[in-house]
Amino acid sequence: MSAPSTNAPPQRRAPTKRLMAPSVLFLLVWMIVPLAMTLYYSLQDYNLMMPNTRGFAGFLSYELLFTDPVFWDALLNTLLLVATCLLVTVVAGLALALLFNRTFVGRGIARTLAISPFFVMPVVTGLIWKYMLLDPVYGLFSWVMRSVGLEPIQWLSSYPLLSVVMMISWEWTPFALLILLTGLQSLPEDQLEAVRLDGANRWQEFRHIVLPHLGQVLYVVIMLESIFFLTSFAEIYATTSGGPGTATTNLPYYIYLSAFFQYDIGLSSAAAVGAVILANIFAIFLIRFVAGNLNAGSQR
Amino acid sequence: MTASNVDQAPGRKSGAGGTALTLLAWLIGITMFFPILWVVLTALKTEQTAFSMTPTFIFSPTLESFRSALAQGSGYWHYALNSVITALGSTLVGLALAIPAAYAMAFYPSRRTDFTLVWMVSTKFIPAVGVLIPVFLVYRSLGLLDTRLGLTMLFTAMNLPIMVWMVYSYFRDIPVDIVEAASIDGASTTQTMFRVILPLALPGLASTGLLALILAWNESFWSLTMTDYHAATLAVYTASFKSGEGLFWARLSAASVLTIAPIVVLGWFAQRQMVRGLTFGAVK
């Protein structure tokens, strides 16, 4: 094997398998094996408080899950959270991206200020909003309400889900802004000039040139954000703890509660399988997109 | 003040409308940033001025809250050290794993390497709760709960797909001829990788490391579920402020500032990398 064949064209060889193996093994051990175990546990009757009753239970956990009203609340909250945050962050992000795509004095600084919330640790985001902004007595929002002669709102108890939506949107609008702005900046200027010469107005320009160009970028933002919003946890943990009642219990928080407070491994695993399926609905499209891009760019 | 519109295309004059849009952009930038500024200001107040129904914007700043947040008994240093170790550790382990894999994918592409890359990216989309319970149970039986090692490995697993992707994309910018020339000169794969490619890709590797560091530092889910005290990071520390009625706002703010300031500043320099790493090449 050691002597290279002389008549064959010079071939690039490298131990690609060995180079990739460490990463592949790492992800297998930390992601894929646990994922398979979650599936396995979901078919078990397994509660950490009752170690003697463990055994195969078929779909019992799923039956329990589907008859648990809290699960349905959590699922509904999750979907509401994803849909509302998506709407806010994508619309606001697009508007801001268009606004920041102009040239103006100090654009870089203003953009950096607007993007900063994305780099704040989610737990801290939760605390800032819970206390300094939304506190019904000492919060800044309440002071503004009182200043204009209105009754302060008890944000976290009267509108808990909306409060969480505000926190997550504050964090993630910058993400949408940043990515859409990058997309806008790759818009070929000659296309814009062409339609302007044809006498298109701003709206037509936006509708026929900018939006189609941004389509792909918007798609990616929506898919990525959906997956991240599905797994929101820290903001809820740090502020409402899923309450009042089940008002802000989303799927991740439900799984956390049933695993760490009810010690019900079977039930929480069944819910986790649900969360994975939900995330996959979005992920499948994204993965196809990434794979497609890879092939398109591989003529090197 | 009207901006000089250098890239304004012909036919679009910016007059009063342009100034209004500029002011609006600035107003929005400041509004988005305001909660962060407000925490910084609150951290510089005394507890009395911090906790009042009418907010004070002008006051004589004091570092008292920072002093008490950093004091011996506050525990800040313990959590900060854990954050530094786990974030840096996971970044280094991640780079060590990602570089060889990305090298194979970028310079010796085949169906298999393409498939592996897409598969790796797809593991990023498995929600953490999907693997939470087995990881917890296995860690418990192996004694890895509440250890820096266990947490570091979870951060690594979380960031590895993004890191492989990013390193791969930087390697692809390097002409493949360089690798060929090196191998004709008789360099082994290891030599080519370390002596030829890594120096060329250094800025890209630094960007990848920076992004991984930011993501690991801010990671909260695994810290909150897998650690208690010994390996607990600043996410756990700040989360401990969530309960308690007679809260000390100035101290809470000081602790928050100490937790977010380094990363927010790093983030300012990582905006492009953020786009590159988090969109997996879909946006350029």
Side-chain angles (χ1 to χ4, degrees):
Chain A
M1 279 300 273
S2 57
S5 56
T6 41
N7 52 358
Q11 247 193 340
R12 299 187 276 125
R13 288 246 167 104
T16 52
K17 256 192 206 169
R18 265 193 290 152
L19 290 169
M20 295 191 299
S23 293
V24 172
L25 274 176
F26 197 92
L27 288 173
L28 278 177
V29 171
W30 262 275
M31 300 302 292
I32 305 301
V33 171
L35 189 63
M37 285 171 78
T38 301
L39 206 57
Y40 169 77
Y41 286 142
S42 76
L43 301 172
Q44 296 267 310
D45 180 8
Y46 184 11
N47 189 308
L48 291 177
M49 287 285 105
M50 296 172 275
N52 300 323
T53 58
R54 193 177 163 184
F56 182 75
F59 290 98
L60 181 67
S61 292
Y62 291 92
E63 273 178 54
L64 290 173
L65 188 68
F66 293 149
T67 50
D68 182 1
V70 181
F71 168 73
W72 293 106
D73 284 351
L75 190 64
L76 184 67
N77 287 337
T78 307
L79 296 176
L80 269 175
L81 201 67
V82 172
T84 325
C85 291
L86 262 184
L87 190 71
V88 175
T89 57
V90 171
V91 171
L94 182 59
L96 292 188
L98 290 168
L99 197 58
F100 281 100
N101 195 35
R102 300 164 57 254
T103 312
F104 59 85
V105 179
R107 176 171 78 156
I109 299 169
R111 190 198 58 209
T112 300
L113 288 179
I115 285 167
S116 298
F118 189 63
F119 300 109
V120 175
M121 182 186 284
V123 174
V124 175
T125 299
L127 293 176
I128 294 175
W129 281 79
K130 179 184 183 182
Y131 292 118
M132 273 159 268
L133 299 180
L134 298 184
D135 188 277
V137 179
Y138 300 99
L140 216 51
F141 281 30
S142 307
W143 172 70
V144 172
M145 297 288 277
R146 276 196 307 271
S147 314
V148 293
L150 291 170
E151 192 71 9
I153 296 170
Q154 309 262 342
W155 285 100
L156 286 168
S157 46
S158 305
Y159 305 99
L161 201 60
L162 182 65
S163 304
V164 175
V165 167
M166 292 196 299
M167 297 170 202
I168 295 178
S169 301
W170 178 68
E171 266 187 297
W172 284 88
T173 300
F175 176 78
L177 157 64
L178 193 58
I179 293 186
L180 290 169
L181 186 59
T182 311
L184 275 178
Q185 280 164 355
S186 69
L187 182 70
E189 191 63 31
D190 51 339
Q191 278 190 29
L192 279 178
E193 275 173 40
V195 292
R196 279 173 194 158
L197 290 175
D198 290 345
N201 61 29
R202 289 232 162 176
W203 167 247
Q204 289 168 326
E205 205 178 290
F206 177 75
R207 172 75 190 76
H208 295 291
I209 303 294
V210 179
L211 214 51
H213 174 78
L214 275 188
Q216 192 181 343
V217 183
L218 275 168
Y219 178 84
V220 171
V221 169
I222 289 170
M223 293 297 155
L224 274 174
E225 286 197 345
S226 304
I227 294 168
F228 287 118
F229 294 160
L230 275 176
T231 55
S232 305
F233 181 80
E235 296 87 350
I236 293 170
Y237 179 95
T239 57
T240 61
S241 303
T246 59
T248 55
T249 301
N250 66 350
L251 215 42
Y253 207 80
Y254 175 81
I255 294 164
Y256 166 77
L257 287 178
S258 46
F260 290 98
F261 291 89
Q262 298 171 27
Y263 309 104
D264 195 333
I265 300 303
L267 184 76
S268 52
S269 297
V273 171
V276 172
I277 291 172
L278 212 54
N280 264 331
I281 295 172
F282 299 99
I284 282 170
F285 292 102
L286 254 181
I287 293 161
R288 276 163 111 190
F289 194 84
V290 171
N293 254 15
L294 208 60
N295 294 332
S298 65
Q299 318 98 336
R300 56 179 279 171
Chain B
M1 202 161 37
T2 314
S4 57
N5 293 296
V6 275
D7 73 351
Q8 199 86 33
R12 292 265 180 258
K13 274 204 218 140
S14 92
T19 313
L21 286 176
T22 300
L23 284 176
L24 184 64
W26 266 101
L27 190 70
I28 288 173
I30 291 167
T31 310
M32 289 292 281
F33 190 75
F34 187 75
I36 299 174
L37 180 69
W38 190 240
V39 180
V40 176
L41 289 178
T42 309
L44 294 169
K45 292 175 183 173
T46 60
E47 291 295 350
Q48 262 176 322
T49 16
F51 202 61
S52 86
M53 283 176 69
T54 320
T56 17
F57 292 90
I58 294 154
F59 56 94
S60 56
T62 165
L63 289 175
E64 195 44 52
S65 307
F66 282 102
R67 241 172 258 136
S68 74
L70 290 171
Q72 205 79 75
S74 75
Y76 172 82
W77 294 106
H78 167 77
Y79 298 97
L81 186 68
N82 283 335
S83 274
V84 170
I85 290 175
T86 51
L88 269 182
S90 68
T91 302
L92 293 177
V93 176
L95 280 174
L97 290 168
I99 288 171
Y103 184 84
M105 290 163 180
F107 295 111
Y108 302 94
S110 66
R111 286 176 80 96
R112 194 206 284 136
T113 63
D114 277 2
F115 173 80
T116 312
L117 180 57
V118 173
W119 173 76
M120 282 186 178
V121 169
S122 73
T123 63
K124 180 62 201 163
F125 302 130
I126 300 171
V129 283
V131 297
L132 168 70
I133 295 142
V135 167
F136 180 82
L137 293 175
V138 172
Y139 268 32
R140 196 177 63 154
S141 51
L142 294 179
L144 281 171
L145 275 186
D146 205 9
T147 63
R148 290 166 186 165
L149 177 69
L151 194 60
T152 304
M153 293 302 132
L154 282 166
F155 287 177
T156 309
M158 176 187 81
N159 282 339
L160 191 57
I162 293 178
M163 297 178 81
V164 170
W165 171 265
M166 272 187 87
V167 178
Y168 164 82
S169 76
Y170 286 112
F171 280 172
R172 298 253 330 195
D173 293 342
I174 297 171
V176 86
D177 307 350
I178 292 179
V179 177
E180 275 167 7
S183 71
I184 287 167
D185 289 346
S188 71
T189 305
T190 325
Q191 282 170 330
T192 315
M193 190 154 76
F194 279 100
R195 299 244 176 95
V196 183
I197 299 304
L198 289 195
L200 284 173
L202 210 56
L205 296 178
S207 302
T208 309
L210 181 61
L211 180 61
L213 202 65
I214 292 173
L215 294 176
W217 183 279
N218 281 350
E219 206 291 328
S220 309
F221 181 76
W222 289 115
S223 315
L224 293 172
T225 51
M226 292 291 140
T227 67
D228 196 24
Y229 176 73
H230 292 288
T233 62
L234 286 171
V236 178
Y237 175 61
T238 44
S240 69
F241 285 94
K242 74 171 185 154
S243 48
E245 281 307 307
L247 211 88
F248 298 101
W249 280 23
R251 207 165 77 200
L252 159 70
S253 300
S256 298
V257 171
L258 290 168
T259 302
I260 64 173
I263 289 307
V264 170
V265 172
L266 280 181
W268 289 342
F269 299 100
Q271 296 176 28
R272 291 216 163 271
Q273 289 82 308
M274 213 77 204
V275 175
R276 191 161 184 163
L278 290 181
T279 59
F280 298 106
V283 182
K284 293 194 181 76

